[in-house]
Each structure stands twice: as C-alpha cells, then as structure tokens.
Amino acid sequence: MATWKDLQLNLQSGKTIDQAERTLLEAEKRCWRDVLTRLISIIQSLAGRNLAFRGSSKTLHQQNNGNFLKEVELLAKFDPVMKHHTECVESGQFSHSSYLGNIIQNELIASISGKIMDTVVTEIKQSKFYSVNLDCTPDASCQEQMSVIIRTVKMDKAPEIKEHFMGVLVASETTGLGLLSLILKELMELNIPFDDCRGQSYDNGANMKGRNKGVQPRLS
C-alpha cells in the first residue's frame, strides 16, 4: 500500500521515470485533437454549402484532388497546426492514417450527421406535435427514393415554424403498403411517436395519395 501511495503521489507531481514519455503522449493527443477540430470545421463548411468533397485524385497538392484536400492546403498556408500536419503527410512520417483519406471523411460526416439528427429529434419531441412531408422520385439508376421532411412549431418567445429534412429513404417497394412500412420504421428508429403526427403532405403519385391503397389513407 505504501508503494502504491508513493506511485500515486509521484504521478501527481510528475516525478516518475516515464514522465517524459507521458508528456510526449499528451502533446501528441493535443496535436491530433487540434487537427481533427480543423478537419471537422472544413467538413461543416463544405457540407453547409452542399459542395462535393472528393475529386479524381487523393493526394495533396495534386490537380483535381477535391474540395476537402484543397481546403486543407489553403488552411496549411496560414495555420501552423495544419502546416505541420501536411508536412508530415508529404514526408511520409505517419505509419498510420493521416485523417485525410476517404474513410475518415465518411466517418466524420456520419458522426456530425448523427449529432445533428439527435438535436433535431430532441427539438421535434419538445414541440411534440408535427406534420410529415413525403415525396418519392427515382434517382439516375431508377431506384425509388423517398425524402422525409418533418414540420414543427417551436414555441419560444414567439412561435416559429421549422422544417427538418430527415433524409432520403431507399424504397425497395413502391406500393402504398411498402412506403407506409418504410416511413413508420424510420419514425420508430428515430423514436418519434406517430401518434403525435397532426398533418400529412404528399406528392400526387397514386402510391402516395391513392384513395384506397395509398400511403395517405393508410396513415389516416
């Protein structure tokens, strides 16, 4: 017990023999946090303007390497953290990921998207009642997709109507029953009770507004 207590005191006062390694480790952790903070800001900037991330090249300082890497190059001209990071990438100092590749971009986008979705769902639940706006259209590969928008009234100092784009759902079945199951499953996964839905809006497709078998009469 005395030995453990001495170790605890030495760790707190920074007098252990591995203190130098611990200091280097903490410095590296701070460095990677700083890099990730800047990369997340770049992702937010590109996504907020609906710009494409990647090009035909995946290398820094190459033509057509996409908006993401171009933003990294621009930031490296003025920011010492990103400048040091890009220099390490180009000199091959990293034996692991440099956090500039396609996979980490997708992971960061998914993480940010998940956090935004959690915030949106919380706001919808605070408003309690909502309406849904559904619209189906095929993409270039003729795969039917359904966009989902939820409209709420935010009761703050003054009532504010807000619309939240919840995403695009791929519809394997384009029948009224198939689309009905799809939207109910999505609401269940988001933990948004359909009992609080007070309005519905659709396009003019028969599978949506059909009098007998469309989504609208089935949900009503």
Side-chain angles (χ1 to χ4, degrees), residues 117 132-139 142-150 164-188 190 194 200-203 205 207-209 214-216 219:
M117 187 62 71
V132 293
N133 187 329
L134 307 177
D135 187 12
C136 280
T137 185
D139 60 10
C142 297
Q143 175 68 59
E144 194 76 12
Q145 296 183 333
M146 179 169 65
S147 62
V148 181
I149 296 175
I150 292 182
H164 305 285
F165 176 65
M166 309 303 291
V168 176
L169 308 179
V170 177
S172 57
E173 296 184 17
T174 59
T175 62
L177 180 60
L179 296 176
L180 169 69
S181 301
L182 185 62
I183 182 58
L184 290 180
K185 179 182 177 181
E186 180 68 11
L187 291 175
M188 184 180 297
L190 294 173
F194 180 73
Q200 303 171 38
S201 175
Y202 307 95
D203 59 16
N207 54 354
M208 285 295 193
K209 297 187 66 175
V215 177
Q216 185 175 21
L219 283 178

Side-chain angles (χ1 to χ4, degrees), residues 62-123:
Q62 294 291 324
Q63 189 175 9
N64 300 324
N65 59 1
N67 292 319
F68 180 82
L69 292 181
K70 289 300 182 186
E71 292 280 344
V72 171
E73 296 170 7
L74 176 62
L75 190 58
K77 292 182 178 180
F78 307 97
D79 180 67
V81 173
M82 195 55 69
K83 179 180 180 181
H84 176 263
H85 185 70
T86 55
E87 289 176 349
C88 291
V89 172
E90 293 179 310
S91 62
Q93 294 184 26
F94 293 133
S95 58
H96 49 78
S97 175
S98 63
Y99 287 178
L100 300 182
N102 299 351
I103 296 177
I104 189 62
Q105 291 177 34
N106 293 338
E107 290 179 352
L108 290 175
I109 292 171
S111 297
I112 296 171
S113 174
K115 185 64 176 178
I116 292 174
M117 187 62 71
D118 291 341
T119 303
V120 169
V121 171
T122 299
E123 187 171 313

